[in-house]
Amino acid sequence: MVHWLIQTLRDHPEIAVFLTLAFGFLIGKVKIGKFTLGSVTGVLIAGVLVGQLHIAISSNVKAIFFLMFLFGIGYEVGPQFFQGLKSGGLAQVLFAVIVCVACLLTAYAAAMICGLDVGFGAGLLSGACTISAIMGVATDSINQLTNVAADQKALFLDHMPIAYAVTYLFGTAGSAWFLASIGPKLLRVNLAEECKKLEAQMGATEAEPGVVSAYQQFVVRAYRVSADSFCADKTVDEIEKHCLPLRICIERLRQGEKIIEPDVDQVIRVGDVVAVAARRDVELQAGPVFGIEVDDSAVLDFPAEFLDVVITSRKMDGMTLQELAAMEIGRNARGIFVRRLMRTGVELPITPGTRVNRGDVLQIGGAKRDVERVIPMLGYADRPTNMTDMVFMGLGIGVGAVIGAITFTLGSVPLTLSTSGGTLIAGLVCGWLRSVHPVFGRIPAPALWVFKNVGLCAFIAVVGISAGPGFVEGLKQQGLTLFLAGVAVTLIPLVVGLLVGKYIFKMHPGILLGACAGARTTTAALGAIQEEAQSKVPALGYTVTYAVGNTLLTIWGVIIVMLLH
């Protein structure tokens, strides 16, 4: 039975890949302290175990999945990557470049000092900096080496996953621990207090910024206007302005048996029932202005909508929410409430001082007629759908890979982006185009998750299976050396980032720590920093640096091979 199973896996390696994915994701859920191994590490471990069966898999399989992953990553961070190249994000772009260069130089120095070959060096950079894509790009670069024998290339490729596996765990957990626990001490600040001060400067209130409540934050209540109410014989506009700075909206009105959707010049009479929409805390303060609360289901029964809108307006780009409120769009946003602001999948604090960029996703809510009215002023309604624009995706990957495959010769040195580099750049461009012209190129979030996670993990599965036979021996030879080198490559760039951010860029401590996490593309560290800060302020430094870091660190897969070869 065992022999039959082994032979079946050898005859049908596609089965081995999917079994590796299944067991790898299961292993990835294992917790070590507060951290899980993660799906990528889990799949690599599972792949190495399955690889002991000596299963041969075509390299084309991992190439296809890796291109899917690179396009997905580029598509996700593209809007923020190009946004960061503008003047408003230039400081964070330069900061991310410095941190990424420090990662490359530290890995190169560690490899030279420890006598590591190209494969170990690339795996060291990939694992210690928790950027799995380096292995894929480095694989392409090693395969393109013209003066290296095939068996030597195979040895380099076998060494990469060994170094990655040894260094990745501290690269993840060590980064989170260092930035959340040691980082504030090096900066000599109370992180929670500093973030609280910045929130106050940005106009946040105690209850509002980044709060995720277990109750409904926005409510609609009905009130019967009494004779002694301020509202009696006043227009809707007069009543709503009287309540400022508390923001309320009279959505519906009952006059006798007649239900009206009032204009701003509609006069409210004694005995009328008004449906008032506002934040819950505002309702409690503004309720006495109207009269006695009543249960009038007919008045309250109107269509409401909560919708994600992709910001594409050039006028809005770089403006604060407070500035937007003073513009025409703010005056026309009656009845609209902002629930959430997302940038490259990261939630930002909602404060008057929060800046909005093109490509951000703003979740708004209110009466359906109000939401539909304001959408054209903001951008494009990102309505739920399960359809992916496969023409856009296929052309993006195909054209990008073709451009990347072109080789230029500088003297006697061949230069090429490689198919992986070309696909990454194509993803960045396509993601940016989608944010600017969102009528085409849609990839729903679940599909994008498949591109990024399944694409990468399937690639890692094949890498692990292929490297499995030589993994144990290589680990015995270089295990301790690789671990210590990994600690250095993980921590030194973070120390450089903290010092540069504090003394050169003069960054706010919370934003600086988030920027370090972004430049190193470690989401686990961002979560730990925000927990320590008791704030979402660090996310303001994460998004631009994450986009730049994801791009540069991936490209370093080519550079590290060139440096160590």
Side-chain angles (χ1 to χ4, degrees):
M1 179 66 180
V2 174
H3 176 75
W4 171 84
L5 178 60
I6 293 174
Q7 191 59 47
T8 300
L9 294 178
R10 289 173 177 170
D11 293 340
H12 302 280
E14 64 274 17
I15 300 175
V17 172
F18 283 104
L19 288 177
T20 299
L21 287 174
F23 289 118
F25 272 79
L26 186 62
I27 294 170
K29 295 179 181 179
V30 174
K31 274 197 170 185
I32 299 177
K34 292 184 178 181
F35 302 97
T36 57
L37 289 174
S39 56
V40 174
T41 304
V43 169
L44 178 59
I45 293 172
V48 169
L49 294 175
V50 173
Q52 304 307 312
L53 303 178
H54 296 271
I55 297 171
I57 302 178
S58 170
S59 59
N60 293 331
V61 175
K62 63 180 180 181
I64 291 172
F65 281 110
F66 189 62
L67 293 186
M68 288 175 56
F69 160 72
L70 286 176
F71 184 83
I73 283 291
Y75 181 91
E76 181 181 51
V77 305
Q80 201 57 32
F81 177 81
F82 287 104
Q83 176 64 35
L85 297 180
K86 296 183 178 181
S87 58
L90 184 59
Q92 290 191 9
V93 171
L94 292 176
F95 173 84
V97 170
I98 291 172
V99 174
C100 290
V101 170
C103 290
L104 176 64
L105 295 181
T106 306
Y108 172 69
M112 295 298 292
I113 292 170
C114 298
L116 303 177
D117 64 25
V118 174
F120 280 130
L124 168 66
L125 178 62
S126 181
C129 295
T130 63
I131 184 78
S132 310
I134 289 176
M135 287 203 292
V137 177
T139 297
D140 280 352
S141 299
I142 290 173
N143 284 328
Q144 292 175 15
L145 296 176
T146 56
N147 56 346
V148 178
D151 58 343
Q152 188 64 42
K153 290 181 182 179
L155 184 62
F156 291 160
L157 296 178
D158 286 346
H159 285 172
M160 258 198 298
I162 298 171
Y164 176 89
V166 173
T167 58
Y168 180 83
L169 188 57
F170 185 84
T172 302
S175 297
W177 162 77
F178 181 82
L179 290 175
S181 301
I182 307 301
K185 293 181 175 63
L186 289 179
L187 297 175
R188 297 180 181 178
V189 296
N190 184 310
L191 186 58
E193 288 185 4
E194 293 297 326
C195 288
K196 188 175 181 180
K197 290 177 185 177
L198 181 60
E199 288 174 351
Q201 292 173 11
M202 295 174 69
T205 63
E206 290 291 331
E208 183 67 19
V211 173
V212 179
S213 301
Y215 72 103
Q216 289 188 347
Q217 190 177 12
F218 301 99
V219 296
V220 184
R221 289 181 170 179
Y223 302 89
R224 187 180 301 281
V225 178
S226 57
D228 59 348
S229 168
F230 169 83
C231 299
D233 300 321
K234 299 289 194 308
T235 66
V236 168
D237 188 52
E238 289 174 328
I239 297 167
E240 292 180 355
K241 286 181 178 178
H242 171 77
C243 291
L244 293 174
L246 302 178
R247 191 161 180 268
I248 62 102
C249 179
I250 298 176
E251 293 287 0
R252 294 186 107 194
L253 168 67
R254 177 194 286 279
Q255 290 185 332
E257 296 300 319
K258 187 178 181 181
I259 295 179
I260 303 170
E261 294 182 350
D263 295 325
V264 291
D265 57 356
Q266 174 72 46
V267 177
I268 306 298
R269 307 296 183 187
V270 174
D272 290 351
V273 177
V274 292
V276 180
R279 286 205 326 259
R280 184 180 294 272
D281 60 326
V282 171
E283 289 271 7
L284 293 175
Q285 298 178 63
V289 172
F290 300 97
I292 301 173
E293 185 174 2
V294 295
D295 182 16
D296 192 326
S297 59
V299 171
L300 296 174
D301 185 17
F302 61 88
E305 187 174 22
F306 297 99
L307 189 66
D308 288 342
V309 180
V310 181
I311 303 300
T312 60
S313 170
R314 291 182 181 273
K315 293 181 180 179
M316 293 181 62
D317 191 25
M319 300 189 71
T320 65
L321 292 177
Q322 187 174 35
E323 290 170 340
L324 292 176
M327 294 175 59
E328 179 183 359
I329 183 174
R331 295 191 293 271
N332 284 278
R334 177 177 172 269
I336 299 297
F337 300 93
V338 176
R339 302 185 72 196
R340 189 171 62 174
L341 176 64
M342 302 292 292
R343 184 174 297 161
T344 61
V346 177
E347 184 176 353
L348 301 183
I350 299 295
T351 72
T354 300
R355 295 191 179 275
V356 176
N357 295 333
R358 292 177 76 187
D360 289 354
V361 178
L362 194 66
Q363 187 179 83
I364 59 176
K368 191 173 189 298
R369 67 178 184 278
D370 294 329
V371 172
E372 296 297 328
R373 181 185 70 248
V374 81
I375 287 173
M377 305 177 193
L378 298 172
Y380 178 80
D382 195 16
R383 301 184 188 278
T385 178
N386 58 0
M387 299 294 292
T388 295
D389 189 342
M390 287 301 299
V391 173
F392 180 81
M393 190 202 79
L395 284 175
I397 295 177
V399 172
V402 167
I403 293 174
I406 299 173
T407 301
F408 299 94
T409 302
L410 184 62
S412 60
V413 180
L415 300 176
T416 177
L417 286 172
S418 78
T419 56
S420 52
T423 301
L424 175 63
I425 293 173
L428 291 169
V429 173
C430 288
W432 173 76
L433 285 174
R434 163 69 183 172
S435 70
V436 177
H437 304 288
V439 294
F440 64 88
R442 177 182 175 83
I443 302 179
L448 193 60
W449 184 91
V450 171
F451 290 167
K452 295 188 304 175
N453 291 275
V454 176
L456 176 60
C457 288
F459 165 79
I460 293 296
V462 177
V463 168
I465 293 171
S466 301
F471 186 92
V472 176
E473 187 61 32
L475 189 60
K476 289 179 181 178
Q477 294 176 3
Q478 298 285 355
L480 181 60
T481 300
L482 287 170
F483 178 79
L484 295 177
V487 172
V489 176
T490 294
L491 297 183
I492 290 175
L494 297 179
V495 174
V496 170
L498 291 176
L499 296 176
V500 168
K502 180 178 181 179
Y503 294 107
I504 297 180
F505 291 97
K506 310 295 184 183
M507 289 184 174
H508 180 276
I511 294 177
L512 171 56
L513 290 167
C516 285
R520 269 282 321 280
T521 67
T522 172
T523 306
L526 176 64
I529 295 165
Q530 291 188 146
E531 183 179 348
E532 181 71 20
Q534 301 173 30
S535 168
K536 289 190 179 295
V537 162
L540 296 174
Y542 182 83
T543 54
V544 171
T545 54
Y546 174 82
V548 176
N550 225 318
T551 304
L552 286 184
L553 289 174
T554 300
I555 294 172
W556 287 175
V558 177
I559 306 301
I560 194 69
V561 172
M562 294 174 61
L563 291 174
L564 293 175
H565 171 56

